[in-house]
Amino acid sequence: GRHLLILVDQMLGLHRLESGKMELNMINGDIVSYMKYLIEAFHSYAGTKNIRLYFQAEPPDLIMDYDPEKVLQIISNLLSNAIKFSPEGGEVSVVVEKQGKLARIRVKDTGIGISEDQLPFIFDRFYQAPAPPHSPRSKAGDGSPKTGAGIGLAITRELIKLLDGDISVKSQAGKGTEFTIHLPITQQAAPMDKAIPSAIKKEISSFLQAIGPGMELEDEGDAPGGLPLALIIEDNPDVVFYLKACLQKEYRLKVAANGENGIRKAIEMVPDIIISDVVMPGKDGFEVTRALKKGLLTSHIPIILLTAKADVASRIEGLGQGADVYLAKPFHKEELLVRMKKLLELRQSLRAHYLSLAETASSGPTPREGEKEGSAESLFLKKIHAVIEDHLTDPKLNVDRLCLEMAMSHSQLHRKLTALTGYSPNRFIRYIRLTKAKTLLIETDMPVNFIAYDTGFNDPGYFSRAFRKEFDATPVDFRNRYRP
């Protein structure tokens, strides 16, 4: 529906241009800052194809008259084509320069290029240049070597003419394309503040969303706080858009466009749950699941695999790699939400078990029935318990030291430990100290203040208050209760 809407808008716009009925709404401002803001919105789209997007301006600011809406359409048409027709790992650059009384804008890519005999026709309405063999366009799902409707470049040229500018193109098949725009520098329109007005930002956002679901300016964000963090690993922007619509009220969302980025983001953020496609370029969903389930930081994260491969063999393979749920596309929104909710509830119920593992001596926590002796969760808790025990008498042991010993960042340690035990790193250190103190109170005759010092507390008074808060009894009452 969005694609059809923008196509109709383009056709109507082209008709208005050719009939001379489209008006200009010129402002006087810094076109460089506007271009920089606009191009920044394309970074996420370029990232879905692992394409590096560069912007360069000389001079760093250029005050001139321009129409924000027209410049938006011109640059968006050129940039979206450059990214669409560049192979994975390619480069796209935008350069703004001042040449006397002209502003020169160059959009260059390392894409499939256009053959020399086709160049004279690319600005013609409805013209589509045949794709070179083995190019991304020649592998379209419908077998057609063409894509789009052939309107974008036609309307781009007409808009530039409306601005009293011109556009030219250089290209070589298989090596890339460069479009060059020249616009006159005039100073006749009303000046605009340096800040880009919110109305223009909203217009940019609406335009980009119409181009494609992966083009929103808004980040998935961390708001509202307190909601579970879900990582979506999916290369299809339409599926991402639908998943975000389903989940955004109940989850904080982050998105990775392929398996490699998904693994990296999962390790960086340690989300509460992961939803991954199976068929993706590079690492597929099975490889992602295998890698994350073997990782010390990510082994506990529930993973839901979504795929059109609904046969029994694929389902068994996905579950065999460690996936918690395997859903076939098209899936029901309600089923996905229920599955996610139940997986997170299961994680909550396991916290008491993992906390009991943390209390066990580092020489070897007892696995739960059905849990492998060497599970990643057990090994993680065994390691962190050993680190705290080794520094138990040191009152200077803190989260920074624990992060260093565990080779984790603050956020990684916090999310992993909280997911397993419900305790923050600071509280977990104190809990292990108090648990050791509890053992000493029962098994030894040491005075309470000596036990406090031996478990890393500088202040016996604080030790007694912390002990009472954790175990609902003072150290003396606890000893009298559990010793004959």
Side-chain angles (χ1 to χ4, degrees), residues 63 114 122 143 155 177 362 420 423:
I63 306 299
I114 306 167
I122 63 170
I155 198 170
T177 303
S362 59
L420 289 181
Y423 283 17

Side-chain angles (χ1 to χ4, degrees), residues 291-300 375-377 379-381 383 406 408 416 420:
L292 295 180
K293 287 298 184 179
K294 288 183 178 179
L296 186 66
L297 272 171
T298 55
S299 59
H300 67 286
S375 73
E377 286 76 17
L379 293 174
F380 172 80
L381 291 169
K383 183 177 180 180
M406 296 296 293
M408 296 180 180
K416 175 76 176 183
L420 289 181

Side-chain angles (χ1 to χ4, degrees), residues 115-423:
S115 61
E116 188 174 350
D117 60 322
Q118 303 296 329
L119 283 177
F121 309 107
I122 63 170
F123 293 109
D124 293 348
R125 191 197 307 190
F126 304 125
Y127 179 77
Q128 295 170 306
H134 311 297
S135 73
R137 281 193 292 168
S138 67
K139 299 176 182 179
D142 60 358
S144 170
K146 301 177 181 180
T147 184
I151 295 177
L153 288 179
I155 198 170
T156 296
R157 182 179 62 175
E158 295 302 321
L159 286 170
I160 293 171
K161 284 183 180 179
L162 186 64
L163 295 169
D164 292 327
D166 63 71
I167 182 171
S168 59
V169 59
K170 295 188 300 183
S171 187
Q172 190 174 351
K175 294 189 176 181
T177 303
E178 179 177 354
F179 288 90
T180 302
I181 301 166
H182 289 96
L183 297 176
I185 299 175
T186 58
Q187 310 290 345
Q188 299 173 358
M192 183 191 74
D193 293 336
K194 285 188 176 181
I196 299 172
S198 58
I200 294 179
K201 290 183 179 181
K202 186 175 181 180
E203 186 177 326
I204 293 173
S205 182
S206 299
F207 186 86
L208 293 178
Q209 288 185 37
I211 291 176
M215 296 289 290
E216 297 93 335
L217 276 173
E218 296 82 8
D219 184 22
E220 295 84 11
D222 284 333
L227 295 178
L229 177 62
L231 173 62
I232 299 171
I233 307 175
E234 170 65 67
D235 64 323
N236 187 317
D238 292 297
V239 177
V240 171
F241 186 79
Y242 177 66
L243 285 170
K244 288 168 70 174
C246 292
L247 305 176
Q248 60 188 357
K249 291 183 179 179
E250 299 182 40
Y251 295 88
R252 291 174 293 143
L253 301 174
K254 291 293 181 181
V255 177
N258 55 58
E260 289 86 350
N261 286 338
I263 293 172
R264 177 179 57 79
K265 285 193 174 185
I267 293 171
E268 286 176 0
M269 298 182 295
V270 193
D272 296 296
I273 194 165
I274 293 173
I275 303 168
S276 177
D277 188 19
V278 170
V279 181
M280 294 182 290
K283 292 186 182 297
D284 62 21
F286 296 146
E287 293 175 285
V288 169
T289 302
R290 183 166 59 249
L292 295 180
K293 287 298 184 179
K294 288 183 178 179
L296 186 66
L297 272 171
T298 55
S299 59
H300 67 286
I301 303 173
I303 297 178
I304 297 176
L305 290 180
L306 300 177
T307 180
K309 298 172 67 175
D311 57 282
V312 175
S314 297
R315 186 182 296 270
I316 291 173
E317 183 179 1
L319 296 173
Q321 298 297 342
D324 297 85
V325 172
Y326 193 100
L327 287 181
K329 297 177 184 177
F331 56 88
H332 292 283
K333 171 186 173 181
E334 292 76 13
E335 181 181 7
L336 176 63
L337 289 171
V338 169
R339 293 274 195 172
M340 293 176 71
K341 181 181 178 181
K342 292 301 179 183
L343 286 173
L344 291 176
E345 287 177 354
L346 178 60
R347 281 286 135 193
Q348 292 274 11
S349 67
L350 285 172
R351 283 181 174 178
H353 165 62
Y354 288 129
L355 198 57
S356 70
L357 289 185
E359 295 180 26
T360 311
S362 59
S363 57
T366 305
R368 191 184 192 189
E369 183 177 353
E371 179 188 34
K372 293 182 180 179
E373 178 74 30
S375 73
E377 286 76 17
S378 297
L379 293 174
F380 172 80
L381 291 169
K382 181 177 180 179
K383 183 177 180 180
I384 199 169
H385 187 286
V387 170
I388 297 173
E389 283 252 326
D390 288 345
H391 301 86
L392 194 66
T393 59
D394 182 5
K396 294 182 179 179
L397 175 64
N398 56 20
V399 178
D400 288 334
R401 182 68 179 273
L402 197 58
C403 288
L404 186 63
E405 295 280 352
M406 296 296 293
M408 296 180 180
S409 69
H410 274 254
S411 60
Q412 288 173 331
L413 181 62
H414 178 84
R415 292 196 62 80
K416 175 76 176 183
L417 199 55
T418 304
L420 289 181
T421 66
Y423 283 17

Side-chain angles (χ1 to χ4, degrees), residues 8 99 305:
V8 171
Q99 288 190 326
L305 290 180

